[in-house]
Amino acid sequence: MPINLKIENKVVVEKIAKLAEHSHIKALKGFFIEMAELSIFTLRFFKEALKPRYEFKELIKQAYLIGYKSFPLVAITGLIMGLVLTIQSRPTLAEFGAESWLPAMVAVSIVREIGPVITALIFAGKVGSGIGAELASMKVTEQIDAMEVSGINPFKYLVVTRIAAATFMLPVLVIAADAISMYGAYIGVNLKGDVSFHLFFLEVFAKLSFSDVFPALIKTVFFGLAIGLIGCYKGYNADKGTEGVGKAANAAVVYASLMVFVIDMIAVQVTSLFS
Amino acid sequence: METVVEIEHLKKSFGNNHVLNDINLKIERGENMVVFGKSGSGKSVLIKCLVGLLEPDEGKVVILGNEIAKLPTEELNVLRKKIGFLFQSAALYDSMTVRENLEFPLRDLKKKPQAEIDALVLETLTSVGLEDAMDKMPSELSGGMRKRVGLARTLILKPEIILYDEPTTGLDPITSKEISQLILDVQKKYNAASIIITHDVECARITANRMVVIKEGQCIAQGTFNELSASTDKWVSSFFK
């Protein structure tokens, strides 16, 4: 009996292993297919973006919706970011008697890394999911088909404008978030000290250099592009049905957030190569 | 009579599901053809193949003398402006007002003065009896009104061919009758050829000059409403009971 049980168990384990192997291969295959489709979608974006006619009116509308409408959220996040970072850093610096470094340290952290990444993550959550859900619901309700049969290129009108707006607006939002974060840091410094506005920003700008600001801004362009691309790709290729809308919105946020970290990692490597 | 739509040996499959299996049809200018069949019989797939929303696996679709599969995208888009498509759900752009929905298909045409566009929008909305709904959002409209606005958006480009995908589905009998009557009025006013996909017998009775019955992706019967309703074929006659 124990021998039989052993043999049966072995058969079951082998079956499970085979199934697991099969599902792994299937998942891997799915991943590569998705990557290939996303690459084709990206190439199509660049091709359509360069070809006239240019949808300036829709681009401006999307820039307003994507950029201006995201500003309050980004501003609040930025203020809290600066304030918390300052409050958290003070005790450690105080231990070394280096409290005077606080403005410079916070400024470099915010401008180089925290400002762009946190703003991009907030942006992915708000804009990425919004684009994903909007395009997916347009697809499900045949609005995209309706545009196509009217002889209008829906890719150009819906996708190109949204990706371009996300790409242009995220750097602007990051600049705004960085500035507001600095103000938050100034408030944080003055919670347990007395530093004038002039002195605080003198310290900040003395330590910030071109190599801190420029690479950080360049990477936000790529963050915006990735968030717009993934949001549009997921929405535009959504499956039929309301379930597809939820899935598209969810996948847009998850993959866009993941891409922000991947791009950030690459950007850090590239920046360190040049510096 | 001029043939405006010609379908030859059209086949379309999704995996192992053979939706269209050798469809042959001809539609003349000014003719209303009703395509009748059970749900899932491939009626909607048929009209989606006509406008290039779906690519046929085999066969030929010729619209106004142009073979759809051979047209480059730009030329296909020009041709699409001559074909109106009323979707089952009306597919109104829900972020736009009724006026903007109607103006949208006109945006690619040569710059027209705004006054001319306004007049055209008003004229088209009046023809479907909805001139008061001009500044409403689609979410404020009833199902019947949405269908009318969808039809107005289709008519604003004065199409030569109109494709109706289940125009009366989900509507009450009175509104269904109004929509069917509207289809008839459009035929008279615009002399457009229409393909009407439906399984509503009353709609077919009102609108059809000719009917085609599709079963398992094939045309199994053709004729006028009276001819098909008197058919001895059990399957065909079951629709009219």
Side-chain angles (χ1 to χ4, degrees), chain B residues 2-220:
Chain B
E2 182 196 352
T3 302
V4 286
V5 179
E6 210 173 336
I7 303 165
E8 285 177 21
H9 307 294
L10 188 69
K11 289 184 183 176
K12 178 72 190 171
S13 303
F14 297 97
N16 291 326
N17 183 15
H18 304 295
V19 181
L20 299 179
N21 202 359
D22 203 20
I23 296 273
N24 294 285
L25 282 176
K26 273 184 185 176
I27 296 138
E28 312 288 339
R29 187 175 291 281
E31 180 185 28
N32 271 359
M33 174 183 271
V34 167
V35 179
F36 222 52
K38 267 170 63 179
S39 297
S41 59
K43 307 184 299 288
S44 297
V45 172
L46 173 67
I47 54 169
K48 284 185 177 174
C49 286
L50 297 189
V51 283
L53 280 179
L54 290 173
E55 207 177 313
D57 298 332
E58 278 179 51
K60 205 162 85 170
V61 174
V62 180
I63 306 240
L64 300 166
N66 301 283
E67 192 178 337
I68 293 287
K70 288 186 180 166
L71 285 180
T73 314
E74 278 77 20
E75 285 177 39
L76 179 62
N77 282 339
V78 173
L79 181 65
R80 277 170 169 167
K81 291 196 183 294
K82 296 177 186 169
I83 309 168
F85 197 121
L86 179 64
F87 286 84
Q88 193 177 337
S89 60
L92 300 181
Y93 309 127
D94 48 21
S95 60
M96 300 180 194
T97 62
V98 168
R99 181 201 296 269
E100 287 164 342
N101 261 281
L102 265 72
E103 283 177 357
F104 194 72
L106 300 171
R107 59 200 289 286
D108 270 353
L109 298 182
K110 279 176 190 164
K111 283 246 171 206
K112 279 189 177 195
Q114 190 57 42
E116 208 177 305
I117 290 175
D118 289 346
L120 193 57
V121 169
L122 183 65
E123 182 201 322
T124 317
L125 272 179
T126 309
S127 70
V128 296
L130 277 180
E131 59 276 23
D132 296 334
M134 191 157 337
D135 294 313
K136 286 189 173 165
M137 294 301 285
S139 56
E140 297 172 79
L141 305 176
S142 67
M145 287 164 91
R146 290 171 73 89
K147 286 264 162 97
R148 283 167 185 268
V149 174
L151 183 56
R153 191 179 63 185
T154 302
L155 294 176
I156 201 153
L157 287 173
K158 302 200 172 10
E160 294 177 46
I161 300 160
I162 307 175
L163 310 173
Y164 297 90
D165 191 2
E166 307 206 5
T168 57
T169 300
L171 301 177
D172 61 85
I174 296 168
T175 314
S176 293
K177 211 169 179 179
E178 284 172 5
I179 295 286
S180 302
Q181 195 55 53
L182 200 56
I183 293 172
L184 215 55
D185 295 344
V186 165
Q187 181 197 19
K188 281 176 195 156
K189 190 173 173 186
Y190 295 88
N191 192 31
S194 300
I195 299 180
I196 303 145
I197 302 291
T198 188
H199 39 65
D200 177 353
V201 178
E202 188 58 15
C203 172
R205 190 187 62 75
I206 296 171
T207 58
N209 296 123
R210 192 156 57 99
M211 285 180 72
V212 169
V213 181
I214 290 188
K215 186 186 177 189
E216 289 163 7
Q218 285 186 313
C219 299
I220 57 155

